[in-house]
């Protein structure tokens, strides 16, 4: 998160950290964010899994405020299986390297949804924007998602509940004025998500 504020996992208990075992380091390393959407079901960004990691190398951590600090509220889960969307297109993820410079503590940022007519390549270094994406940003250009946040949730208050609207996906840099972050438009996938859960 660029800008934003230090937060506590209890403010967004659905936040997950996905970690991958690195044999050379003999340790689990942070891979991406995720969001708990049902018991035993996490949603994240497909580009985090482009390397097609074996399931037995992956772990999901819930309930932690600090990335490397155990907590009495944490729960760690093995991953049984994951599904990358059948139409996922990795073309537009040039240099999508994983940075090791992560915040040690969970953060939150405040952004506003952008009108779709302003969510266009002209605002995003010419990169393609599809109807499966949504834009959100801080009008002050301060708070924004950034490297390492991918797969984490964008939530909006709706009828007194926080509702999942987006998954952090990409952007043109971070925290640039008049440049939004780009998120997977989760509402386009409710049928896809339900079918995966139902079938498994
Ligand atoms: C990234 O590299 C990334 N400012 C995620 C979100 C944004 C930029 C980059 C949006 O994972």
């Amino acid at each position: 998160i660029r800008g934003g504020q230090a937060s506590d996992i209890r403010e967004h208990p659905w936040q997950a950290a996905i970690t991958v075992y690195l044999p050379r380091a003999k340790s689990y390393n942070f891979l991406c964010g995720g969001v708990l959407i049902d018991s035993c079901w996490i949603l994240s960004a497909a580009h985090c899994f482009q390397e097609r990691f074996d399931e037995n190398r992956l772990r999901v951590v819930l309930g932690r405020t600090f990335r490397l600090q155990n907590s009495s509220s944490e729960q760690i889960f093995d991953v049984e299986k994951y599904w990358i969307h059948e139409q996922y297109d990795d073309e537009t993820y040039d240099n999508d390297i994983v940075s090791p410079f992560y915040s040690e503590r969970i953060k939150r940022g405040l952004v506003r949804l952008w009108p779709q007519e302003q969510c266009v390549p002209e605002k995003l270094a010419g990169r393609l924007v599809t109807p499966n994406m949504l834009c959100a940003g801080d009008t002050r250009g301060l708070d924004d998602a950034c490297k390492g946040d991918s797969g984490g949730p964008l939530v909006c208050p709706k009828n007194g509940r926080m509702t999942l609207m987006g998954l952090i996906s990409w952007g043109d840099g971070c925290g640039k004025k008049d440049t939004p972050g780009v998120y997977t438009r989760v509402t386009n996938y409710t049928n896809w998500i339900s079918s995966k859960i139902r079938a498994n």
Side-chain angles (χ1 to χ4, degrees):
I1 300 283
R2 178 68 60 86
Q5 288 186 313
S7 187
D8 186 287
I9 192 65
R10 289 170 296 186
E11 289 189 65
H12 22 78
W14 44 78
Q15 176 76 49
I18 301 171
T19 66
V20 59
Y21 187 75
L22 301 180
R24 290 163 119 292
K26 292 200 170 80
S27 64
Y28 283 86
N29 268 44
F30 181 86
L31 174 66
C32 265
V35 54
L36 181 70
I37 54 163
D38 198 346
S39 110
C40 297
W41 286 89
I42 298 283
L43 213 50
S44 182
H47 78 257
C48 301
F49 300 88
Q50 259 170 221
E51 282 186 48
R52 310 277 165 152
F53 301 110
D54 199 275
E55 279 87 350
N56 64 30
R57 289 178 60 196
L58 298 171
R59 265 185 176 176
V60 173
V61 182
L62 300 175
R64 230 186 241 182
T65 292
F66 295 93
R67 189 169 68 88
L68 299 173
Q69 202 169 296
N70 293 98
S71 158
S72 58
S73 68
E74 79 181 27
Q75 290 184 282
I76 301 180
F77 296 90
D78 291 331
V79 171
E80 200 170 299
K81 191 166 163 52
Y82 63 88
W83 294 267
I84 293 175
H85 195 278
E86 296 77 2
Q87 273 87 49
Y88 167 63
D89 180 357
D90 62 7
E91 282 263 308
T92 45
Y93 283 93
D94 193 26
N95 300 317
D96 192 33
I97 57 168
V98 172
S99 154
F101 302 112
Y102 303 117
S103 168
E104 286 308 309
R105 180 175 182 157
I106 195 164
K107 292 178 75 182
R108 63 183 158 90
L110 187 63
V111 293
R112 292 174 193 278
L113 297 177
W114 275 38
Q116 195 67 4
E117 62 268 21
Q118 287 174 42
C119 184
V120 289
E122 292 69 53
K123 301 274 185 193
L124 289 155
R127 290 170 68 182
L128 183 70
V129 181
T130 75
N132 295 317
M133 301 173 185
L134 67 81
C135 286
D138 177 3
T139 46
R140 305 163 302 167
L142 296 177
D143 292 9
D144 192 11
C146 201
K147 271 199 182 348
D149 296 330
S150 286
L154 169 70
V155 293
C156 298
K158 193 175 174 187
N159 304 325
R161 304 165 54 122
M162 294 310 256
T163 304
L164 180 65
M165 300 299 293
L167 299 174
I168 297 164
S169 184
W170 60 278
D172 173 24
C174 309
K176 286 194 200 169
K177 196 153 167 41
D178 299 319
T179 304
V182 185
Y183 299 75
T184 307
R185 185 180 286 277
V186 174
T187 51
N188 286 7
Y189 299 97
T190 47
N191 289 337
W192 183 80
I193 294 166
S194 306
S195 72
K196 292 297 172 205
I197 295 180
R198 220 177 312 116
N200 296 284

